[in-house]
């Protein structure tokens, strides 16, 4: 969970400083003869593999690959002009979303096979060092000609001036992939699967997408989907995935992916995470020590949003805890969940890496999930380089050897959640400080929570002089001084309460605002421990 940000950040360095190749496109991207391909056949391969012993992926020349560190990997620049589907007149290539490949490196040492699918036929694309601009002293020059690739990305649709400047999706490392949102910025990632994350009896397993089959429609348009088929393999699991990715020229819509997958277990799994995503949360308007960093907030996502099977809307602000923790939110056939970046005010970050532009990611199940839980994993971090947040669906039934799972879901990489409730307000901010009355001595072990809710079309319905009720419960501790107040300059209301909690005690908080007995806001959940604060 925590080892992929450096790898993906290396990938972003490949976007600039491009040089034209000396060799023509087809000479550089050598391919095998075409062979029939179908998703059904890929599923059968995954099923057969689940009955056979696991074979780890090939890792060419580990001693050389380990020399290709973050800096040296960033020197390796793909010759964008040779990309497949660039549609450039002098190549005679099909017009589409140009396809580029990532080279091997310290943080991406496993060879991944790449295939292009055309008219139901697949052809493997082979590694060639001539595809990359390599400085003369770069250790990658010592790699063999069959070293292979580490992953791939797609550039924006070909236009005269900007197609080389921005990629919009990337697959690299284990089963990780990510896309940009409406503001053209990468942030959090999705994963094919999670196996035994944060269990006490052993390390997490990271299955790999070992083969990719990439298909674009001949004569397609920017709204035509790019279809990626992927073969998953790991010690405990195999799987076949079909991911239809839609970008379009209206970039304000972000990226939408429809995923179909068939997963097979070759071993028992203690925690099986389906439809997973992973992100980073260091600190927000809460959780920041005074001198920890110069910026007000640092995070790719600030909360877990859920739409339960019963229709309840839930918001759980993220934590950077003192130890790895997993929270489970039991449900049956949830309508969706996601990790969101709701705070989009640059002044709240003051950072040139644009955390205010990071996409939110929402998963919409397209087939019933049955009983289980959305699980939220939070890992301690003392820097922004680590992905320390995970969210995924865990089925209620035991995940045992021989089980198979049919998945069908949609991923939305956008600024906001795609199905917002229009009749309740959303959480805008969570603030935590010392409890007690201002102007009086502040009692030890008492904490004040101020949670802001915002949606003008909802909050303006509150009659003048009427104050909503703050409905709050705590699994531990004592709640007092509950009251609501309007925030000046807008239809924002703040729910306030104090919490008295013994030192070191953990509590789960649940709160919403109500008017005339009916919910006015989504349900705010939070997990808090007193020694995370400032005593």
């Amino acid at each position: 969970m925590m080892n992929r940000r450096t790898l993906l950040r290396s990938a972003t360095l490949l976007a600039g400083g491009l040089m034209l190749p000396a060799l023509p496109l087809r000479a550089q991207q050598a391919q095998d003869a075409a062979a029939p391909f179908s998703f059904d056949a890929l599923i059968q391969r995954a099923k057969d593999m689940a009955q056979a012993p696991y074979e780890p992926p090939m890792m060419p020349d580990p001693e050389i690959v380990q020399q290709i560190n973050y800096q040296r990997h960033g020197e390796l620049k793909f010759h964008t002009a040779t990309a497949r589907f660039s549609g450039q007149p002098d190549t005679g290539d099909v017009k589409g979303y140009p396809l580029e490949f990532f080279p091997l490196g310290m943080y991406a040492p496993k060879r991944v096979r790449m295939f292009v699918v055309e008219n139901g036929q697949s052809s493997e694309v082979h590694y060639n060092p001539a595809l990359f601009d390599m400085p003369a002293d770069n250790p990658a020059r010592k790699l063999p000609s069959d070293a292979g690739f580490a992953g791939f990305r797609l550039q924006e649709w070909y236009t005269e001036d900007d197609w080389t400047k921005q990629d919009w999706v990337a697959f690299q490392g284990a089963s990780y992939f990510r896309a940009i949102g409406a503001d053209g910025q990468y942030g959090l990632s999705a994963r094919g699967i999670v196996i035994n994350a944060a269990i006490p009896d052993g390390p997490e397993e990271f299955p790999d997408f070992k083969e990719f089959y990439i298909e674009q429609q001949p004569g397609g348009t920017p709204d035509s989907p790019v279809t990626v088929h992927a073969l998953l393999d790991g010690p405990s699991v195999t799987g076949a995935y079909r991911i239809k990715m839609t970008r379009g020229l209206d970039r304000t819509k972000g990226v939408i992916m429809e995923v179909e997958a068939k997963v097979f277990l070759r071993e028992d799994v203690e925690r099986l995470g389906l439809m997973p995503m992973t992100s980073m949360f260091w600190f927000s308007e809460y959780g920041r020590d005074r001198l920890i960093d110069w910026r007000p907030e640092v995070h790719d996502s600030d909360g877990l949003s859920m739409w339960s099977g019963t229709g309840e809307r839930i918001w759980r602000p993220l934590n950077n805890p003192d130890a790895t923790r997993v929270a489970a939110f039991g449900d049956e056939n949830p309508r969706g969940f996601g990790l969101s970046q709701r705070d989009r005010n640059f002044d709240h970050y003051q950072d040139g890496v644009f955390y205010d532009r990071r996409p939110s990611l929402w998963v919409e199940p397209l087939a019933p999930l049955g009983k289980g839980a959305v699980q939220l994993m939070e890992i301690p971090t003392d820097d922004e380089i680590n992905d320390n947040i995970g969210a995924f669906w865990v089925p209620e039934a035991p995940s045992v050897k021989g089980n198979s799972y049919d998945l069908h879901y949609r991923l939305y990489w956008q600024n906001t959640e795609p199905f917002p409730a229009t009749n309740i307000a959303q959480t805008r901010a969570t603030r935590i400080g010392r409890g007690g009355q201002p102007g009086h001595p502040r009692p030890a072990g008492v904490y004040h929570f101020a949670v802001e809710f915002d949606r003008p079309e909802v909050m303006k319905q509150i009659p003048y002089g009427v104050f909503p009720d703050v409905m709050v419960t705590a699994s531990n501790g004592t709640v007092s001084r509950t009251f609501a107040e309007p925030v000046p300059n807008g239809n924002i209301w703040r729910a306030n309460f104090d919490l008295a909690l013994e030192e070191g005690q953990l509590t789960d908080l649940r709160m919403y605002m109500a008017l005339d007995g009916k919910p006015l806001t989504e349900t705010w959940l939070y997990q808090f421990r007193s020694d995370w604060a400032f005593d």
Side-chain angles (χ1 to χ4, degrees):
M1 180 64 68
M2 301 179 65
N3 64 352
R4 72 100 214 164
R5 286 188 71 82
T6 302
L7 175 148
L8 287 175
R9 288 189 176 199
S10 299
T12 64
L13 296 179
L14 302 178
L18 304 170
M19 298 178 62
L20 293 177
L23 298 178
L25 172 67
R26 297 305 182 194
Q28 293 198 51
Q29 293 199 11
Q31 294 181 207
D32 285 342
F37 173 81
S38 71
F39 185 43
D40 288 341
L42 193 67
I43 291 173
Q44 186 62 49
R45 280 189 61 198
K47 184 177 181 180
D48 294 342
M49 288 164 53
Q51 307 302 315
Y54 171 66
E55 296 182 8
M58 180 181 176
M59 300 179 66
D61 291 293
E63 292 185 4
I64 295 175
V65 170
Q66 287 302 305
Q67 298 174 36
I68 308 174
N69 59 21
Y70 178 83
Q71 178 181 357
R72 304 316 300 268
H73 193 269
E75 297 173 353
L76 306 176
K77 298 177 175 60
F78 189 87
H79 289 304
T80 302
T82 71
R84 295 293 304 270
F85 310 110
S86 65
Q88 296 183 89
D90 58 342
T91 67
D93 195 17
V94 176
K95 188 173 183 179
Y97 289 103
L99 169 64
E100 299 187 358
F101 301 106
F102 293 128
L104 299 177
M106 177 186 294
Y107 300 106
K110 301 174 184 178
R111 186 183 74 175
V112 182
R113 299 178 69 186
M114 300 290 174
F115 297 81
V116 171
V117 178
E118 298 174 302
N119 301 317
Q121 302 285 310
S122 68
S123 302
E124 185 168 6
V125 181
H126 293 283
Y127 172 79
N128 187 334
L131 290 169
F132 300 92
D133 175 31
M134 298 184 183
D137 64 343
N138 194 290
R141 288 187 171 272
K142 301 176 184 178
L143 290 173
S145 59
D146 63 348
F149 302 108
F152 72 92
R153 66 181 180 178
L154 294 172
Q155 297 293 118
E156 294 283 20
W157 188 266
Y158 173 78
T159 60
E160 289 294 328
D161 58 354
D162 68 351
W163 70 282
T164 65
K165 297 178 182 179
Q166 176 70 68
D167 52 306
W168 59 277
V169 66
F171 286 72
Q172 186 180 22
S175 66
Y176 287 95
F177 57 99
R178 62 179 184 162
I180 62 177
D183 291 328
Q185 183 78 29
Y186 281 122
L188 77 173
S189 296
R191 297 173 65 178
I193 204 161
V194 162
I195 301 292
N196 291 337
I199 64 172
D201 297 332
E204 181 177 353
E205 180 181 314
F206 290 88
D208 297 287
F209 282 146
K210 297 175 71 171
E211 297 177 10
F212 288 111
Y213 297 81
I214 304 159
E215 181 178 10
Q216 300 200 42
Q217 296 180 17
T221 69
D223 292 318
S224 300
V226 178
T227 301
V228 174
H229 297 86
L231 181 66
L232 181 81
D233 194 20
S236 301
V237 66
T238 67
Y241 288 70
R242 176 163 59 193
I243 308 171
K244 293 182 179 179
M245 311 182 297
T246 304
R247 175 63 172 145
L249 290 180
D250 184 358
R251 296 171 183 174
T252 63
K253 296 181 179 179
V255 175
I256 298 175
M257 302 179 180
E258 184 173 339
V259 183
E260 297 174 82
K262 184 77 171 184
V263 173
F264 304 91
L265 296 187
R266 52 159 59 105
E267 301 292 346
D268 294 350
V269 173
E270 184 173 341
R271 175 173 284 135
L272 177 67
L274 304 176
M275 306 178 298
M277 58 191 75
T278 180
S279 190
M280 180 275 295
F281 177 86
W282 189 10
F283 57 88
S284 185
E285 66 268 11
Y286 57 91
R288 179 186 184 276
D289 293 336
R290 183 173 300 237
L291 297 179
I292 195 172
D293 194 83
W294 62 272
R295 294 163 291 183
E297 301 184 32
V298 178
H299 49 80
D300 281 338
S301 306
D302 52 8
L304 170 66
S305 182
M306 293 172 280
W307 189 8
S308 75
T310 61
E312 185 180 16
R313 303 287 187 145
I314 300 170
W315 176 254
R316 165 59 154 81
L318 298 179
N319 266 322
N320 178 9
D322 61 335
T324 297
R325 299 189 182 278
V326 179
F329 307 94
D331 204 351
E332 182 173 1
N333 296 324
R335 303 184 191 185
F337 65 91
L339 292 172
S340 296
Q341 183 77 321
R342 285 188 176 174
D343 190 340
R344 299 199 163 270
N345 187 332
F346 172 80
D347 292 340
H348 294 177
Y349 301 94
Q350 294 292 328
D351 197 323
V353 298
F354 301 113
Y355 283 114
D356 58 303
R357 301 181 186 178
R358 304 296 167 104
S360 300
L361 178 56
W362 179 265
V363 56
E364 175 195 7
L366 299 178
L369 295 174
K371 294 183 178 180
V374 176
Q375 295 199 4
L376 174 66
M377 179 171 62
E378 298 167 309
I379 302 171
T381 187
D382 60 0
D383 208 336
E384 63 201 283
I385 64 171
N386 299 317
D387 268 4
N388 64 319
I389 302 295
F392 37 80
W393 174 257
V394 178
E396 181 181 77
S399 303
V400 297
K401 179 179 179 179
N403 278 10
S404 63
Y405 301 85
D406 288 292
L407 301 175
H408 192 191
Y409 56 98
R410 192 172 286 129
L411 296 173
Y412 297 85
W413 307 79
Q414 300 176 338
N415 281 358
T416 59
E417 293 129 44
F419 307 106
T422 59
N423 60 339
I424 59 173
Q426 286 188 329
T427 308
R428 181 177 183 268
T430 298
R431 308 184 191 281
I432 308 173
R434 295 184 181 276
Q437 291 278 6
H440 297 271
R442 300 300 179 94
V446 178
Y447 308 93
H448 185 75
F449 290 79
V451 182
E452 295 169 5
F453 295 96
D454 182 16
R455 176 159 277 143
E457 61 270 32
V458 175
M459 307 311 270
K460 70 182 181 181
Q461 299 175 17
I462 303 173
Y464 179 77
V466 174
F467 292 83
D469 296 317
V470 177
M471 314 299 293
V472 55
T473 59
S475 61
N476 287 303
T478 303
V479 174
S480 63
R481 294 187 64 240
T482 61
F483 63 95
E485 61 182 352
V487 177
N489 303 321
N491 289 294
I492 300 171
W493 279 75
R494 183 179 296 134
N496 295 270
F497 64 92
D498 277 5
L499 174 72
L501 195 64
E502 294 181 6
E503 183 177 356
Q505 195 172 39
L506 185 71
T507 188
D508 289 302
L509 299 168
R510 181 181 181 90
M511 184 270 293
Y512 64 94
M513 295 175 69
L515 184 65
D516 296 329
K518 297 180 180 180
L520 189 67
T521 70
E522 65 188 358
T523 301
W524 172 91
L525 304 179
Y526 192 64
Q527 191 174 76
F528 179 75
R529 205 169 93 174
S530 59
D531 54 6
W532 294 349
F534 31 66
D535 285 339

